[in-house]
């Protein structure tokens, strides 16, 4: 399945995995605070980010101590490590890897000494025996000494220098410059005892907790150790056998110096655990990072690699500063919701998990503003290197909250009533009443309500282009039901569409809104969709000259266009051919953003809604151009100079009696006007629209009042209804010559202060609303 | 909740032709109930809630309850 197709597949309904498990699985994929490639590659898990961060800021002391502590044998590491981290360094994708080995040498030569910690009293008097000098053995010995154990080293060679002859696996240089140097660290402990020139004899064993032996050393029985079949623990690197309360550890050959140190660390942990609990716990396996670790745009990239050797702090700091401090923060930087929360990505998942619980305990904190603040734009999943999908988690949360009656009704009430209004008057019409068609034009419910001309002009074009073989369907695609978490409603809508589409003969669906396209495509793979823009572009459409706009425009791709790159391309092609100058939206490069409307976050999270609008509209001083009615109207409402692509393609002036909607009340009017016009002007039929009684009321409203109504999602018709019942039943109070009444409409109570001009005309002084209900008062419910 | 701000001029119920009186009224939201003193018609029980109270108190409580 192509990438675009697989993204479409699980957009809305197919959240079939067990919710809780899936959420945690996503959390485990999150790369934030995951081990970066350099540390994952290092056998001893050197804390590279931390050391480099300290070094960059000049905190050499702490950087050095951190290095010494983790290296255990610092001379050996600093001089002879092969640089696993450098091979895995993400910075290599920009220029060169961080010169970690040079920096470690710099720290090592600083002459720092690890302060001795006070040994644990529990370990006092416990003894370990290391047989033969080896890197594994010395590492283990040092770590045990740090913990307060006493260590006996028994080396058969006559002296330290000649011990090298026994060690075939390391070179003379490593022994001389590394091992011998690090050996002095052991000598600084007063509970370290070395005996040379003697072989290890099991009979002379003191009460050791553990004895570390080379793999070819004999068992206490005298047999070779590989004859022992039932080891208490065995893996490829060491074998452990319990013998009367002592742990015998046989080390196998390991080639690489750093791997040997890593093995020594593992063994010291095993011995320590055995000494405490007399059981053997297998060491954990190192994690590996397979995903491509992303490079954040926020990091500094300007430094260039230094030329070794590094002898000065300024040079070391600069090199350390080249470290990208790999920690994936792509979603946090791209998504306004995640940026605003200021939490690390995995915590968003944990927090969202609260809302997925169908039975929540009292102290489980659900962050409803965040769940209902997600625009459902899909950017997080697109940008995440491991496809973590916060959007789907939040969508599912809303579904569960609706199902358990935990969603405050007011959050989606207005939009769902608006959807119901659209559906009540929606229809499918075919030219000449034909049964099947080749094309179905699905403009979406907001395009026509924004401006009826958008739908009328484009539909006329399609009818002409395709020889009348185009039906029109002005239902809703179900996006808003999905965003509101109303699963059943959404399923009803998509089933209706599917049935209608089948009975029309499986036509190709032409969309004029990429969100519609996203949700219609997800209903069935059999539904083929194409955007109006692709149709226009491929049919060599020439825009109306009168519609041309001079100057450069900033092109804002609507969020759902991310799933349809061919649509984005077609738009650009149309603009180029029309001679329109445009620039791409800065925002997050190469990624479409949400305008703020998506996900219906207003009124559930107004603060975030305003923040997003402010951010989007201030990214460029140029006028905006977009091809989604919601984006266009959201920007216009915020005061931004913006056009819909339709404005530039078709002549909007020819039908003067339609105007662009300035607010939600205009949209309702436009919706009815569009239906009327399609029925009467295109299909030459009659429109059977009934006028309700309250609609005959004429309101005098100032601009300011309209803006106030818009922000509280109150319609003209709501006010008409309040006044109508107030006048008819005298349900009103008066003060100073004006009247006040209220009515419960949907989830809110709407108050209107008005004065009477004449029988049908009212001057609206003030409008306000609240969500609380007045109890025990039934007569004012609308 | 504090008391209502002082009324500038009396509120008059048009239906019952009488002045509203301060009474304790119960409001409800998301399963929680509150009492507060509001002008109310003694006959038809029309309750008057001013915009000031909505902006100063009611909105805040509604927001808190939604986030609970």
């Amino acid at each position: 399945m192509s990438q675009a197709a697989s993204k479409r597949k699980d957009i809305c309904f197919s959240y079939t995995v067990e919710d809780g498990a899936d959420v945690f699985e996503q959390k485990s994929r999150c790369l934030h605070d995951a081990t970066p490639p350099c540390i994952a590659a290092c056998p001893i898990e050197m804390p590279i980010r931390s050391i480099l961060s300290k070094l960059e800021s000049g905190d050499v002391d702490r950087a050095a101590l951190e290095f010494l502590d983790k290296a255990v044998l610092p001379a050996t590491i600093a001089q002879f490590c092969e640089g696993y981290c450098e091979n895995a360094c993400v910075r290599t994708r920009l220029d060169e890897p961080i010169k970690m080995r040079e920096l470690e040498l710099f720290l090592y030569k600083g002459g720092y000494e690890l302060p001795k910690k006070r040994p644990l009293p529990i370990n006092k008097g416990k003894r370990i025996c290391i047989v033969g000098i080896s890197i594994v053995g010395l590492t283990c010995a040092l770590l045990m000494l740090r913990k307060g154990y006493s260590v006996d080293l028994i080396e058969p060679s006559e002296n330290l220098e000649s011990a090298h002859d026994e060690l075939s696996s390391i070179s003379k240089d490593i022994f001389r410059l590394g091992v011998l140097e690090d050996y002095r660290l052991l000598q600084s402990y007063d509970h370290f005892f070395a005996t040379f020139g003697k072989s290890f004899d099991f009979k002379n064993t003191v009460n050791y907790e553990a004895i570390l032996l080379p793999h070819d050393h004999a068992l206490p029985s005298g047999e070779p150790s590989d004859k022992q079949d039932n080891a208490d623990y065995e893996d490829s690197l060491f074998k452990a056998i319990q013998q009367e309360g002592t742990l015998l550890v046989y080390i196998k050959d390991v080639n690489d110096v750093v791997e040997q140190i890593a093995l020594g660390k593992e063994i010291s942990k095993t011995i320590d655990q055995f000494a405490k609990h007399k059981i053997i716990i297998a060491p954990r396996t190192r994690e590996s990072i397979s995903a491509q670790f992303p490079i954040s745009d926020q990091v500094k990239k300007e430094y260039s690699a230094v030329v070794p050797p590094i002898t000065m702090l300024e040079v070391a700091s600069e090199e350390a500063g080249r470290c990208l401090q790999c920690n994936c923060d792509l979603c946090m930087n791209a998504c306004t919701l995640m940026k605003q929360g200021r939490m690390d990505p995995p915590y968003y998942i944990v927090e969202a998990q609260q809302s997925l619980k169908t039975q929540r305990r009292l102290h489980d904190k659900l962050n409803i503003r965040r769940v209902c603040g997600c625009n459902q734009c899909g950017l997080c999943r697109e940008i995440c290197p491991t496809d973590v999908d916060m959007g789907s988690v939040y969508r599912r949360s809303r579904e569960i909250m609706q199902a358990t009656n935990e969603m405050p009704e007011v959050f989606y009430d207005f939009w769902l009533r608006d959807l119901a209004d659209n559906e009540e008057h929606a229809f499918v019409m075919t030219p000449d009443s034909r049964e099947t068609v080749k094309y179905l034009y699905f403009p979406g419910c907001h395009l026509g309500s924004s401006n009826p001309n958008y739908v009328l002009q484009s539909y006329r074009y399609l009818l002409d282009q395709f020889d009348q073989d185009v039906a029109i369907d002005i239902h809703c695609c179900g996006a808003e039901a999905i965003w509101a978490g109303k699963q059943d409603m959404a399923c009803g809508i998509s089933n209706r569409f599917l049935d209608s589409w089948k009975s029309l003969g499986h036509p190709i669906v032409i969309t004029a809104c990429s969100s519609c396209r996203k949700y219609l495509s997800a209903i069935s793979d059999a539904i083929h969709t194409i955007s109006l823009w692709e149709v226009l572009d491929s049919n060599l459409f020439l825009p109306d000259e009168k519609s041309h706009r001079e100057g450069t425009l900033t092109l804002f791709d609507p969020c759902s266009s991310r799933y349809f790159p061919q649509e984005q391309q077609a738009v650009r092609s149309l603009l180029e051919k029309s001679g329109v100058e445009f620039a791409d939206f800065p925002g997050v490069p190469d990624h479409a953003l949400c305008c703020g409307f998506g996900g219906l976050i207003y009124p559930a999270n107004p603060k975030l809604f305003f923040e997003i609008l402010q951010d989007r509209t201030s990214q460029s001083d140029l006028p905006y151009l977009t091809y989604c009615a919601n984006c266009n109207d959201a920007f216009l409402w915020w005061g931004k100079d913006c056009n819909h692509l339709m404005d530039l393609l078709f002549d909007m002036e020819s039908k003067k009696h339609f105007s662009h909607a300035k607010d939600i009340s205009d949209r309702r009017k436009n919706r009815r006007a569009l239906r009327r016009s399609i029925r009467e002007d295109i299909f030459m039929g009659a429109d059977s629209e009934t006028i309700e009684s309250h609609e005959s009321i004429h309101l005098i409203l100032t601009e300011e009042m309209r803006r106030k109504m818009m922000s509280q999602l109150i319609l003209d018709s709501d006010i008409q209804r309040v006044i109508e019942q107030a006048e008819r039943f005298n349900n009103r109070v008066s003060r100073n010559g004006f009247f006040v009444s209220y009515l419960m409409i949907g989830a809110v109570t709407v108050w209107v202060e008005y004065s009477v001009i004449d029988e049908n005309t009212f001057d609206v002084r003030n409008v306000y609303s609240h969500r609380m209900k007045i109890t025990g008062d039934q007569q004012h419910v609308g | 909740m504090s008391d209502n701000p002082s009324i500038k001029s009396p509120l008059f119920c048009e239906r019952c032709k009488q002045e509203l009186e301060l009474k304790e009224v119960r409001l409800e939201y998301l399963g929680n109930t509150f009492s507060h003193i509001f002008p109310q018609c003694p006959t038809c029980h029309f309750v008057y809630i001013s915009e000031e109270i909505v902006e100063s108190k009611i909105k805040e409580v509604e927001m808190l309850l939604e986030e609970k």
Side-chain angles (χ1 to χ4, degrees), chain A residues 299-325:
Chain A
V299 294
K300 18 181 207 322
K301 297 174 187 153
E302 60 274 13
Y303 298 150
S304 49
V306 298
V307 179
I310 299 176
T311 50
M312 285 163 48
L313 178 57
E314 296 83 56
V315 180
S317 290
E318 202 176 287
E319 179 62 15
R322 284 178 61 243
C323 171
L324 300 175
Q325 292 291 318

Side-chain angles (χ1 to χ4, degrees), chain A residues 708 731 766 768 771 779, chain B residues 15 49 51 62 66-67:
Chain A
K708 194 174 178 188
N731 274 345
N766 197 11
Y768 54 97
R771 300 163 182 188
Q779 59 191 323
Chain B
R15 177 147 58 168
I49 299 178
E51 190 179 18
E62 285 169 352
E66 283 158 10
E67 286 166 18

Side-chain angles (χ1 to χ4, degrees), chain A residues 1 37 84 89 91 120 134 190 234 247 297 304 308 383 404 406 409 433 457 572 610 616 656 667 680 712 757:
Chain A
M1 204 191 276
Y84 298 85
C89 180
R91 179 97 198 192
L120 293 166
S134 64
D190 53 11
E234 178 159 14
L247 189 69
D297 289 328
S304 49
I383 217 167
T404 56
E406 277 184 304
E409 195 193 343
S433 304
Q457 305 277 46
R572 281 155 172 79
F610 297 141
R616 303 297 184 257
K656 280 221 160 31
R667 279 187 155 200
E680 291 172 354
Q712 295 183 49
I757 305 296

Side-chain angles (χ1 to χ4, degrees), chain A residues 427 429 675-681 683-687:
Chain A
F427 56 78
M429 283 195 93
R675 284 184 208 113
R676 212 171 298 132
S677 186
I678 291 179
R679 283 200 152 104
E680 291 172 354
D681 300 333
F683 290 103
M684 309 301 175
D687 187 48

